[in-house]
């Protein structure tokens, strides 16, 4: 059927028709709120490039998570910024490490919230790389045990899910084995499976104080030019036991989200990263864009591409928009 018999505008003429034919519905159920934890009390250090976000101490994080639950947000992703960094990332798997303490406090006071922990070493190493460094090279296999120890200690503290973001080969199976051996076979792994070496992480590295002190992350994170390689990476993680597969960043990689959704039958998460957030906030501040509208369009686009869940610094604002606050 062609014009003039068929007129697509017929079903766009009012909001009720538009609601009836809408294909993608963003929901608060889809949102995961990232949070940055620091040592201390009553700390709330604003992150300048991420308006509305702060490095927070445990007491303030508990308040933040209560607010998230009131808004209907089902989960948070925790990042830790330790006081001490060293070459072995010891604070990453310390029993009283910053993430471990924060998880305990949240689970004690806000038990219904899903607490996911980012498992990586870059915030904890003095050189800022995600793995062990031997003679200037990131040593894959020497890193695996430390990642597994970190994931296990997060789980022992009460984490509901662990999310390795380091991009070392073989880390999902190493973490799975260690969780299973210690009786945590029910704890799922959300794998940052297709994580690109992206300049969009810049604000995050200021927030998490995790920029590499030499070189870059190109020997472990993926080349932004590659798409088929993402399928190989994701397939490996599925075989190693991942329960949720993540694509990161989101907006510049919608094609990857789409492809992963088509080819893999596990839930797909997308990380709407710090630089994506910062660009919209900056343009809104300059009066160049309507930040709220661009936020909703962005999150809807990520979902339309195939993401089942979205990690986003917009989680609270989007939740307010969705529940009509
Ligand atoms: C840790 C990690 C990073 C992000 C999430 N986990 C930074 C990096 O890989 O350098 C980025 C998140 C964001 O930009 O919002 N490896």
């Amino acid at each position: 059927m062609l014009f003039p018999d068929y007129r697509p505008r017929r079903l766009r003429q009012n909001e009720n028709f538009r609601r009836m034919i809408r294909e993608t519905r963003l929901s608060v159920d889809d949102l995961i709120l990232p949070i940055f934890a620091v040592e201390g009390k009553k700390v709330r250090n604003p992150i300048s490039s991420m308006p509305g976000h702060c490095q927070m101490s445990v007491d303030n994080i508990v308040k933040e998570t209560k607010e998230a639950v009131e808004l209907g947000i089902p989960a948070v992703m925790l990042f830790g910024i330790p006081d001490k960094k060293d070459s072995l990332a010891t604070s990453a798997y310390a029993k009283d490490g910053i993430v471990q303490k924060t998880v305990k406090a949240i689970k004690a006071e806000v038990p219904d919230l899903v607490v996911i922990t980012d498992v990586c070493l870059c915030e904890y190493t003095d050189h800022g790389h995600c793995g062990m460094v031997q003679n200037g090279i990131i040593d894959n296999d020497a890193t695996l045990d430390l990642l597994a120890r970190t994931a296990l200690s997060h789980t022992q503290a009460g984490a509901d899910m662990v999310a390795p973001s380091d991009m070392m080969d073989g880390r999902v199976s190493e973490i799975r084995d260690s969780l299973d051996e210690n009786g945590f076979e029910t704890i799922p792994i959300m794998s940052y499976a297709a994580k690109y070496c992206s300049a969009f992480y810049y604000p995050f590295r200021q927030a998490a104080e995790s920029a590499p002190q030499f070189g870059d992350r190109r020997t472990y994170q993926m080349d932004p030019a590659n798409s088929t390689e993402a399928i190989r990476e994701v397939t490996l993680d599925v075989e190693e036991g991942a329960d949720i597969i993540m694509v990161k960043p989101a907006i510049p990689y919608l094609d990857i989200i789409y492809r992963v959704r088509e080819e893999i039958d596990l839930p797909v998460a997308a990380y709407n990263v710090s630089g994506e957030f910062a660009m919209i906030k900056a343009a809104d501040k300059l009066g160049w864009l309507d930040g709220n509208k661009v936020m909703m369009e962005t999150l809807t686009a990520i979902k339309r591409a195939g993401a089942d869940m979205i990690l986003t610094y917009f989680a609270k604002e989007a939740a307010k928009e969705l529940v009509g606050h």
Side-chain angles (χ1 to χ4, degrees):
M1 232 188 348
L2 290 173
F3 179 83
D5 299 319
Y6 182 63
R7 292 173 181 268
R9 288 188 54 196
R10 284 182 194 131
L11 293 179
R12 281 181 212 143
Q13 59 186 309
N14 63 48
E15 181 55 14
N16 279 336
F17 276 136
R18 292 191 292 268
R19 280 168 59 202
M20 288 163 71
I21 64 160
R22 189 157 293 144
E23 297 174 37
T24 304
R25 257 170 246 277
L26 186 67
S27 149
V28 67
D29 299 343
D30 307 326
L31 306 173
I32 301 172
L33 172 69
I35 291 179
F36 299 99
V38 287
E39 298 283 357
K41 285 203 172 72
K42 297 200 163 85
V43 182
R44 189 179 271 282
N45 302 327
I47 301 160
S48 61
S49 52
M50 299 170 70
H53 284 268
C54 302
Q55 296 177 333
M56 283 181 283
S57 51
V58 178
D59 45 352
N60 279 326
I61 292 178
V62 169
K63 280 189 212 150
E64 178 84 357
T65 52
K66 285 183 180 158
E67 211 182 307
V69 168
E70 271 160 32
L71 288 167
I73 295 170
V76 294
M77 170 75 91
L78 283 186
F79 295 95
I81 301 127
D83 275 350
K84 274 187 247 118
K85 301 178 190 255
D86 58 35
S87 64
L88 289 173
T90 17
S91 314
Y93 39 90
K95 210 165 167 230
D96 61 346
I98 180 64
V99 168
Q100 291 80 351
K101 279 193 289 202
T102 308
V103 172
K104 259 185 223 148
I106 300 175
K107 290 315 288 187
E109 297 206 44
V110 199
D112 283 345
L113 184 70
V114 171
V115 178
I116 314 168
T117 57
D118 181 86
V119 174
C120 195
L121 305 183
C122 60
E123 296 101 330
Y124 305 89
T125 50
D126 45 15
H127 46 69
H129 275 290
C130 307
M132 291 299 92
V133 174
Q134 321 273 11
N135 306 321
I137 305 243
I138 318 304
D139 184 336
N140 191 87
D141 296 13
T143 305
L144 299 180
D145 174 51
L146 301 187
L147 290 169
R149 274 207 248 174
T150 303
L152 179 61
S153 73
H154 290 175
T155 311
Q156 283 165 336
D160 298 295
M161 177 152 72
V162 290
S165 69
D166 51 284
M167 287 301 277
M168 296 300 124
D169 296 331
R171 91 275 206 206
V172 173
S173 60
E174 190 88 6
I175 291 171
R176 186 70 273 157
D177 286 351
S178 141
L179 294 182
D180 290 357
E181 279 161 21
N182 288 278
F184 293 113
E185 63 282 339
T186 59
I187 298 296
I189 298 176
M190 172 192 262
S191 168
Y192 287 71
K195 176 173 176 179
Y196 286 87
C197 189
S198 170
F200 284 88
Y201 306 151
Y202 189 80
F204 174 95
R205 290 183 190 164
Q206 290 182 310
E209 301 170 13
S210 65
Q213 300 302 304
F214 68 89
D216 52 43
R217 303 207 200 290
R218 279 186 290 182
T219 66
Y220 42 106
Q221 298 180 344
M222 285 181 57
D223 184 337
N226 295 352
S227 163
T228 303
E229 189 190 1
I231 301 303
R232 276 204 300 280
E233 275 285 2
V234 167
T235 307
L236 275 172
D237 286 4
V238 172
E239 280 169 10
E240 289 180 30
D243 298 278
I244 297 174
I245 286 300
M246 194 199 298
V247 175
K248 179 185 174 190
I251 287 294
Y253 297 85
L254 290 180
D255 58 324
I256 309 297
I257 297 172
Y258 183 79
R259 222 178 139 179
V260 168
R261 169 71 297 152
E262 292 288 293
E263 299 195 31
I264 304 290
D265 61 1
L266 285 183
V268 175
Y271 202 137
N272 176 221
V273 302
S274 56
E276 299 173 57
F277 176 78
M279 289 195 306
I280 295 172
K281 285 291 179 193
D284 178 78
K285 197 170 165 189
L286 284 165
W288 290 359
L289 285 177
D290 179 331
N292 243 17
K293 287 192 177 137
V294 174
M295 161 181 81
M296 295 310 278
E297 184 176 333
T298 297
L299 297 174
T300 302
I302 296 168
K303 183 136 191 229
R304 188 195 62 227
D308 298 297
M309 58 198 97
I310 308 171
L311 294 110
T312 179
Y313 302 98
F314 286 119
K316 280 167 61 188
E317 289 169 77
K320 284 179 193 158
E321 197 79 13
L322 288 164
V323 296
H325 274 260

